Amino acid sequence: NAGVTQTPKFQVLKTGQSMTLQCAQDMNHEYMSWYRQDPGMGLRLIHYSVGAGITDQGEVPNGYNVSRSTTEDFPLRLLSAAPSQTSVYFCATAPGTYYQPQHFGDGTRLSIL
Amino acid sequence: GENVEQHPSTLSVQEGDSAVIKCTYSDSASNYFPWYKQELGKRPQLIIDIRSNVGEKKDQRIAVTLNKTAKHFSLHITETQPEDSAVYFCAASRGEMNAGGTSYGKLTFGQGTILTVHP
């Protein structure tokens, strides 16, 4: 039981490049989400999903795309990387019932040059 | 949308002292308030949570209190130890349900408190 697995752990991109951050879970959780963490700003919600085929925007969605074709996977795509997207990205999951805590992956450290 | 303010941003205490971190929220419909601890370079991990129908919850050396009227909640750590040193985040959410019957809550986080416990 791996929980929430994020890949890669580190990535350096050039401005304008695109890439996909992967998030996979083996807990059969309905809810999956992506956050970015910047110094002094806590964690901010980018996109979330309440099940396969269902996604919605969070607080800071611009520049990111998501899709959810299976319960297990929730990739985050950077369309055209910008230096402002340099951050640590966390994927989190939760069961499809309220009051359940969210479980975080180990994060992806992304630097945009 | 929800806004969560967390204070202080840094907190330094001596081992054995108590530490208190406070958060305020803006959405009166918020009803779930978790606290996460994040050690350097690690993932955030839940340490305690409280629902809006409860005023206080304890788990060994940590406790959380909630004042719904004032819309604030606090984390209390007693008998602090060096291993308590970390960044602590509060969060708030309101329950939602989609058409398929899945219940969920989008978390809004505070800015974080860097707690340092000196031996």
Side-chain angles (χ1 to χ4, degrees):
Chain A
N1 188 336
V4 182
T5 302
Q6 288 185 238
T7 56
K9 295 188 184 304
F10 303 94
Q11 184 71 47
V12 179
L13 291 178
K14 294 181 180 179
T15 297
Q17 287 185 315
S18 62
M19 81 159 293
T20 300
L21 307 185
Q22 302 290 346
C23 176
Q25 54 105 354
D26 61 2
M27 297 177 286
N28 201 35
H29 283 175
E30 293 289 336
Y31 183 80
M32 297 186 75
S33 55
W34 278 102
Y35 295 89
R36 60 176 291 173
Q37 183 175 29
D38 302 295
M41 301 186 73
L43 294 103
R44 292 181 293 168
L45 182 65
I46 305 171
H47 285 285
Y48 67 97
S49 168
V50 297
I54 307 169
T55 64
D56 206 346
Q57 296 180 349
E59 179 185 356
V60 288
N62 293 342
Y64 307 95
N65 267 0
V66 292
S67 60
R68 182 102 178 266
S69 57
T70 67
T71 299
E72 294 77 20
D73 299 296
F74 190 44
L76 178 71
R77 298 181 185 86
L78 279 70
L79 308 175
S80 178
S84 61
Q85 294 178 304
T86 294
S87 188
V88 181
Y89 291 85
F90 286 99
C91 177
T93 75
T97 53
Y98 194 45
Y99 296 126
Q100 297 300 313
Q102 295 193 16
H103 300 264
F104 284 80
D106 287 333
T108 295
R109 290 185 175 275
L110 183 62
S111 293
I112 315 295
L113 305 178
Chain B
E2 175 67 279
N3 183 50
V4 178
E5 295 289 333
Q6 182 172 345
H7 298 280
S9 55
T10 61
L11 181 58
S12 183
V13 300
Q14 289 296 127
E15 183 177 1
D17 287 350
S18 295
V20 180
I21 302 170
K22 299 181 179 181
C23 290
T24 60
Y25 61 98
S26 61
D27 186 353
S28 56
S30 288
N31 54 11
Y32 177 64
F33 307 93
W35 285 87
Y36 285 83
K37 175 183 179 182
Q38 186 179 30
E39 297 177 352
L40 188 62
K42 300 292 184 63
R43 70 177 75 180
Q45 291 194 296
L46 180 81
I47 55 172
I48 196 167
D49 56 10
I50 192 169
R51 304 181 187 186
S52 61
N53 61 347
V54 176
E56 183 176 1
K57 183 177 179 180
K58 288 185 178 180
D59 184 2
Q60 299 183 356
R61 295 185 298 108
I62 60 174
V64 57
T65 58
L66 171 66
N67 183 327
K68 287 189 296 182
T69 302
K71 290 191 283 188
H72 67 72
F73 57 112
S74 300
L75 178 71
H76 304 255
I77 306 174
T78 59
E79 301 172 22
T80 54
Q81 302 168 1
E83 50 266 39
D84 293 329
S85 296
V87 182
Y88 291 80
F89 292 98
C90 63
S93 74
R94 59 187 295 180
E96 301 182 56
M97 182 179 288
N98 74 338
T102 298
S103 299
Y104 61 98
K106 294 179 292 183
L107 292 177
T108 300
F109 284 85
Q111 297 86 346
T113 296
I114 302 172
L115 173 64
T116 304
V117 181
H118 299 281

